[in-house]
Amino acid sequence: MRARIGLLILAVATTLLAPISQKAFAFSGYASAPLSVTATAIAGGVRVGWSAPTDVDTGVTGYRVEYSTSGTSGSWTLSTTTSSSTYSYDIPGLSQVATYVRVAATTAAGTGTYGYPWTKIYGTTSLQRDSSGYVIYEAGYGVGGSDPYTTKSSAAFSRIRYRLDATISSVAYYAEADAYEWPTGTNTDSRGGYDPTVSSLMIPSNNSPYTYFVQANVSDLNVYSNNSNVTKGKGLSGRLEIWPRNYATAVNGLSPSGNGSNYDYDDTWDVSGAYGSFQIHDMTNYKPVFAWNRSEYGATAEVGFGANTGTNPDWTFCADGGVRGSCPLPSYFRIQIFINEPVTPLADATPPTVTRIDAKSLIKNGDTISVQSNEQGTVYLVRNSISVTNAASIAGAAANTKSSVSISSAGVTTTLTTSGLLDGTYNLYAVDLLNNVSSAIVSTVRLDSTAPTVSTYAVNAAGTAITLTMGETVTLASFASGAYTLSDSGSVLSVSSASVSGLVVTLNLSRSIPANAYVTFAYAPSLVGATGRWIDAAGNELAAISLRNITNNSTTPISVSLTVPEPVSKGSSITITAIVSVAGKVTFLIAGKRIPGCLNKTASGTTPITVTCTMKTALSSFQTFKAILIPTLGSYPTTSAQVERFITKRTNTR
């Protein structure tokens, strides 16, 4: 118990004290917490604002914005990282659940100290309580009916921030510390310890109902100060010793324990007296951050930063001077207490808007389209056979009927890639982070991943081309003869050119083939570049065609026509003409006998081919003229034509 008789015991015990070792823990390049962090509820999220930290050993490279529904250690989710020049961000996609936020600056050293939106709940500029033992609070930050003590009595919070400002010997100092609230049930001593609430955080008075006793360990203690006696640090261990009564040096059971012979970070408080303790301890370095002792009415208060160099590290009895150290009375003093309140996002039932950026109307698997959404979330391409009524209906659709892409930034063009989808027409939707679904862009694209096929193979009537009838329209960027392998009844030929009209592909042959003969045909697109392949409108390639026999089923025979002048006179010179449809040899006859000089005359060149025979007739009366074509290709039949003419007698005398 704090009693003056204890001073003698304290003096004797002084010689038994061992020095407390201190662990150096500076920011080492890390930034202090961003300032003025704010959190404002918006539809479906929280708008976070902040300003740059003041204590930065190296340049700020950016900021981390995080959120949590409990605000406890290990529960935080990264929402975004921003540039070093960005000081606001809207966290989207949050349901109507109270949400905590925090922001930290990053430097080359790593993530700095987190800053939180702080709500001030208590404050005083009076070093002593009044004559009735009550704390003299600042206006608006005490225990009045309109103060946070009343209006926020049931407020949730997860962290507490304490700040001391004091002007000592004409120098203005400050120190502040924030940490997670002490865990429920860990406040020591059965005589009146309290769990963290807005009420139990008050600066305690020694009169009911404002008498609270706090002695508890806290975690993730962040310390700032302009006093060199205070060790700055982030993520430290801490301890609170806050009560309005007397206290003694005996340890009180918290770990790590203190020195039972002096006043430090582990004393035992009593329910009597009015001495008072308001101490925030850095347990990583085993010293106070700041202390405000002896707040009883009419006493000389004790205020100090860091550790006292006298007998008692926590500045107890420092106002007495001597071996207990020295703590001049501040000319200005202020204690403030803050909490980090969560904010509840507003309801968001507004659907997003989805936009197509490209103009593609036909694609195949593996192709992409460009999309935008005015909100973060997901854009879906959904087959129009799926009935979309909400986000769940999209999620429940089969994998081969939908494709999606995450939208990480609103209004930014994003690439959606298709893969493994069924052929068909697809609608486009956007779903925001709260599962609101946009109106559809109906039939925005048709997906065709089926390779074109050939339904019929034929040789044209003239025997000069192969025709392939396709199941759909195809195109050819450039002709490449190397894709085709052909032979005509064993004789090699080639494709000289190609064209397409509607569904019909025409492969023009280097020479004609006979009726009833067959062509052996194959198509190997792998032998040529991509531009030499047949593709459909979606870009699917015609698959390779193995050897096929295509018969020329044309009913058009090889033709030979014969023209003989009329009238014809015996002994007169005439020219007879044969027109043939294929190359070969033509022999002319009269009366069944070959005409001299008109044997095996060559028929070549572009068809139809004209072959002539000039002769003098030696006969009269009716005679038969004949032209016989023997085609060059053995597979063509010999074909002939004949004409009868009456040959008149000679009209002139010899």
Side-chain angles (χ1 to χ4, degrees):
M1 178 172 58
R2 172 57 51 81
R4 287 296 177 177
I5 193 170
L7 300 180
L8 178 60
I9 298 173
L10 179 63
V12 173
T14 301
T15 58
L16 303 176
L17 297 178
I20 299 175
S21 63
Q22 294 186 355
K23 300 177 183 178
F25 193 95
F27 278 92
S28 302
Y30 297 101
S32 60
L35 302 178
S36 306
V37 179
T38 60
T40 306
I42 58 175
V46 177
R47 177 163 296 158
V48 185
W50 65 91
S51 58
T54 56
D55 194 341
V56 183
D57 293 336
T58 58
V60 172
T61 57
Y63 294 94
R64 290 175 60 91
V65 181
E66 301 181 7
Y67 66 96
S68 167
T69 56
S70 67
T72 56
S73 177
S75 70
W76 295 92
T77 298
L78 174 65
S79 180
T80 193
T81 56
T82 73
S83 69
S84 60
S85 60
T86 299
Y87 302 105
S88 65
Y89 177 74
D90 290 353
I91 301 175
L94 301 181
S95 57
Q96 291 176 272
V97 175
T99 301
Y100 295 88
V101 301
R102 66 181 187 180
V103 183
T106 57
T107 66
T111 303
T113 309
Y114 285 94
Y116 301 83
W118 295 112
T119 299
K120 182 176 176 179
I121 54 173
Y122 300 109
T124 183
T125 58
S126 299
L127 284 164
Q128 292 89 28
R129 282 162 273 166
D130 65 17
S131 59
S132 298
Y134 294 107
V135 173
I136 304 172
Y137 286 103
E138 293 180 65
Y141 296 102
V143 293
S146 60
D147 294 344
Y149 167 80
T150 302
T151 61
K152 296 183 178 292
S153 60
S154 59
F157 59 93
S158 65
R159 292 183 73 88
I160 312 161
R161 174 184 167 210
Y162 300 96
R163 180 179 173 105
L164 168 65
D165 290 272
T167 300
I168 301 173
S169 301
S170 301
V171 180
Y173 296 109
Y174 83 91
E176 65 176 51
D178 68 89
Y180 284 115
E181 64 182 15
W182 65 91
T184 298
T186 63
N187 199 357
T188 63
D189 203 299
S190 62
R191 291 175 292 177
Y194 296 90
D195 290 330
T197 64
V198 167
S199 296
S200 65
L201 293 185
M202 69 166 52
I203 305 166
S205 298
N206 56 326
N207 288 318
S208 179
Y210 310 123
T211 304
Y212 288 91
F213 298 84
V214 177
Q215 187 173 40
N217 286 337
V218 292
S219 62
D220 193 36
L221 181 75
N222 302 316
V223 176
Y224 312 96
S225 180
N226 64 348
N227 189 301
S228 61
N229 202 28
V230 178
T231 301
K232 296 185 301 180
K234 61 186 285 284
L236 310 177
S237 298
R239 181 172 296 171
L240 310 177
E241 290 193 334
I242 303 172
W243 49 72
R245 306 296 194 188
N246 293 352
Y247 51 99
T249 62
V251 298
N252 201 28
L254 287 178
S255 178
S257 60
N259 188 320
S261 300
N262 68 352
Y263 293 96
D264 56 10
Y265 51 82
D266 190 12
D267 299 328
T268 299
W269 48 271
D270 198 357
V271 294
S272 63
Y275 199 90
S277 169
F278 199 109
Q279 299 175 7
I280 313 299
H281 290 274
D282 168 4
M283 297 303 291
T284 298
N285 296 289
Y286 296 102
K287 66 177 183 178
V289 176
F290 64 79
W292 167 36
N293 307 322
R294 197 180 281 178
S295 56
E296 63 181 317
Y297 175 72
T300 301
E302 301 157 350
V303 176
F305 294 90
N308 179 22
T309 57
T311 303
N312 303 310
D314 69 354
W315 302 89
T316 302
F317 298 137
C318 64
D320 295 344
V323 296
R324 300 185 182 93
S326 176
C327 51
L329 193 66
S331 58
Y332 173 80
F333 167 84
R334 188 186 198 188
I335 285 279
Q336 299 176 90
I337 303 172
F338 306 81
I339 58 172
N340 71 320
E341 289 188 276
V343 61
T344 300
L346 304 178
D348 178 11
T350 303
T353 300
V354 67
T355 306
R356 274 291 300 276
I357 303 304
D358 65 275
K360 297 175 184 176
S361 59
L362 182 65
I363 60 173
K364 66 179 187 302
N365 272 311
D367 284 349
T368 63
I369 62 174
S370 298
V371 297
Q372 284 185 3
S373 173
N374 68 335
E375 295 187 47
Q376 289 186 359
T378 306
V379 167
Y380 291 92
L381 195 63
V382 183
R383 201 165 187 249
N384 64 359
S385 60
I386 304 300
S387 175
V388 173
T389 57
N390 51 33
S393 59
I394 297 177
N400 60 1
T401 62
K402 65 183 179 183
S403 187
S404 64
V405 64
S406 177
I407 304 297
S408 58
S409 297
V412 174
T413 300
T414 305
T415 299
L416 189 155
T417 301
T418 62
S419 180
L421 298 182
L422 297 174
D423 284 2
T425 301
Y426 283 76
N427 304 331
L428 195 68
Y429 300 87
V431 179
D432 66 18
L433 296 176
L434 290 177
N435 289 327
N436 296 305
V437 181
S438 73
S439 298
I441 300 180
V442 179
S443 301
T444 188
V445 69
R446 183 169 67 86
L447 190 138
D448 174 13
S449 295
T450 303
T453 57
V454 179
S455 59
T456 60
Y457 301 81
V459 175
N460 70 348
T464 58
I466 294 174
T467 59
L468 311 177
T469 303
M470 300 289 181
E472 59 184 304
T473 301
V474 295
T475 59
L476 179 67
S478 63
F479 174 67
S481 60
Y484 312 102
T485 302
L486 301 99
S487 65
D488 165 23
S489 302
S491 300
V492 177
L493 69 158
S494 62
V495 175
S496 58
S497 63
S499 62
V500 62
S501 176
L503 298 178
V504 178
V505 171
T506 300
L507 304 176
N508 298 305
L509 302 177
S510 58
R511 57 176 173 77
S512 59
I513 57 176
N516 300 317
Y518 68 85
V519 177
T520 300
F521 171 77
Y523 169 67
S526 61
L527 299 179
V528 298
T531 58
R533 305 177 185 185
W534 293 96
I535 61 172
D536 65 17
N540 301 296
E541 297 180 4
L542 177 66
I545 300 172
S546 58
L547 290 174
R548 298 182 63 92
N549 292 333
I550 307 173
T551 302
N552 183 356
N553 293 317
S554 171
T555 57
T556 303
I558 294 174
S559 62
V560 177
S561 64
L562 180 63
T563 301
V564 179
E566 189 176 16
V568 180
S569 298
K570 179 180 179 180
S572 300
S573 176
I574 62 173
T575 298
I576 60 178
T577 302
I579 299 175
V580 299
S581 61
V582 296
K585 299 291 186 179
V586 177
T587 297
F588 293 89
L589 297 89
I590 184 172
K593 295 181 180 179
R594 293 179 294 183
I595 300 173
C598 295
L599 308 177
N600 295 324
K601 300 198 73 172
T602 299
S604 63
T606 302
T607 59
I609 303 170
T610 299
V611 181
T612 60
C613 169
T614 301
M615 61 170 292
K616 286 184 178 182
T617 60
L619 302 173
S620 62
S621 72
F622 282 99
Q623 301 296 333
T624 299
F625 293 84
K626 192 172 187 178
I628 300 175
L629 168 67
I630 301 176
T632 301
L633 294 177
S635 57
Y636 282 98
T638 298
T639 306
S640 63
Q642 64 184 33
V643 174
E644 287 189 347
R645 289 286 185 267
F646 183 81
I647 303 174
T648 61
K649 293 181 179 180
R650 181 182 297 124
T651 59
N652 59 325
T653 59
R654 292 177 181 265

